[in-house]
Amino acid sequence: MLLKNCIYFIIITVSLLSIPILIYSIKNKNKRNSKCIKLINFFYIMYLILNIAVIPNVLSIDLGLEILFLALISFFAIIIYIVSIVICSQKIKKGNEMTPFSKKPILVILLFIILPILLLSCSLFKEYYLIINSDIVLVYKSNGNGGIDDSNHFAYAINENYFEEISLGLATGDYSLVKYLPKKSKKIDNIENINNYNVSLDNNEKYITIYKNNKLIHKKQINPNYYNISFDGGFYINNE
């Protein structure tokens, strides 16, 4: 999963989970369960804040206008989690420890605490691995319809074995990508001059074709959400 999409997925999933967790908070009558749910609520609030306001900035990820919608649903989800915390706090004071302790719901929710961390970590390390083991990284700009904040950056990590889209370090195009590159990387300003590689974008902006030493090695369909595309820059990575 693309790192950017992984962040979106975590935000949506954690936001949607606020409703069943609230319902469980209301129905639960066990003090120990209430303590677990309260802790889980704190974790989910933290995840939402981090994925909206912190992680995209730290990792220099170019997020589109959809982040505004995600921020809105996160806001409502945080309110629901706070309500759930208040309910659990009241039940901790009045709870009955004699009520049977139900492990299954708690274990399921704990699993959902660990999953966002695993998903984000896997996506992050995958993209970083692709970058440092590629021969070239090409950054493009989708200008959209030319409206305010309608453009966004996307990039590909390429070598003979793979041609993969990445989203790490693209907040300001190739400029913000530099900190994730090996030290021996060289700037590419002209897409027609990339050592042994030849890169072409078809006129309809549907495919990017990659040749190495005049041999076709990759042909990749471009995400249909990208259009009015221009080359923003890139890097040649010397892994020898």
Side-chain angles (χ1 to χ4, degrees):
M1 183 185 298
L2 199 63
L3 180 59
K4 178 168 68 173
N5 294 339
C6 181
I7 291 174
Y8 291 161
F9 176 78
I10 291 172
I11 293 171
I12 293 171
T13 303
V14 172
S15 296
L16 292 176
L17 281 173
S18 64
I19 297 174
I21 288 177
L22 175 62
I23 294 171
Y24 186 72
S25 300
I26 296 170
K27 291 184 175 181
N28 170 62
K29 296 181 180 180
N30 184 279
K31 183 183 290 187
R32 286 174 292 182
N33 278 356
S34 293
K35 289 178 180 179
C36 291
I37 298 167
K38 186 177 178 180
L39 180 62
I40 289 164
N41 287 331
F42 279 119
F43 268 102
Y44 281 164
I45 289 173
M46 181 181 66
Y47 284 163
L48 289 173
I49 294 172
L50 287 174
N51 280 278
I52 287 288
V54 179
I55 293 174
N57 291 326
V58 171
L59 299 180
S60 301
I61 297 173
D62 187 14
L63 300 179
L65 288 174
E66 57 267 25
I67 194 63
L68 298 178
F69 169 74
L70 295 175
L72 181 62
I73 66 170
S74 295
F75 173 74
F76 288 113
I78 288 172
I79 291 176
I80 294 173
Y81 282 126
I82 292 173
V83 172
S84 179
I85 288 172
V86 173
I87 293 172
C88 289
S89 297
Q90 292 298 317
K91 292 195 173 185
I92 290 170
K93 294 179 182 178
K94 303 176 182 179
N96 182 3
E97 290 290 4
M98 298 303 293
T99 305
F101 179 61
S102 178
K103 292 183 178 181
K104 187 175 180 180
I106 298 302
L107 291 175
V108 170
I109 297 174
L110 285 174
L111 178 63
F112 277 96
I113 282 182
I114 298 171
L115 279 176
I117 298 174
L118 291 177
L119 282 173
L120 188 65
S121 299
C122 289
S123 295
L124 172 60
F125 286 116
K126 176 188 175 183
E127 292 200 9
Y128 184 67
Y129 174 85
L130 291 173
I131 290 171
I132 63 175
N133 287 283
S134 62
D135 291 335
I136 55 174
V137 177
L138 303 179
V139 182
Y140 292 87
K141 185 175 182 180
S142 171
N143 296 290
N145 291 317
I148 297 175
D149 203 25
D150 194 31
S151 64
N152 65 291
H153 292 92
F154 63 100
Y156 298 104
I158 304 164
N159 65 17
E160 290 189 29
N161 299 314
Y162 60 77
F163 181 4
E164 297 287 343
E165 184 175 354
I166 58 171
S167 57
L168 176 64
L170 298 180
T172 55
D174 64 340
Y175 179 80
S176 52
L177 181 62
V178 172
K179 61 182 177 181
Y180 299 104
L181 298 171
K183 293 182 179 180
K184 294 183 180 180
S185 303
K186 296 180 180 179
K187 186 79 169 62
I188 298 170
D189 293 313
N190 184 355
I191 198 169
E192 296 178 356
N193 183 22
I194 316 178
N195 289 19
N196 299 322
Y197 283 89
N198 180 272
V199 181
S200 63
L201 173 66
D202 72 301
N203 293 331
N204 295 321
E205 298 184 339
K206 291 185 177 181
Y207 292 93
I208 294 180
T209 306
I210 308 290
Y211 289 84
K212 184 175 183 180
N213 296 322
N214 297 318
K215 179 184 177 181
L216 176 65
I217 58 171
H218 299 295
K219 184 175 182 180
K220 188 176 186 70
Q221 185 174 7
I222 300 171
N223 187 325
N225 294 321
Y226 302 147
Y227 50 96
N228 292 332
I229 298 169
S230 59
F231 178 65
D232 192 65
F235 297 90
Y236 171 72
I237 301 172
N238 186 1
N239 287 314
E240 295 180 359

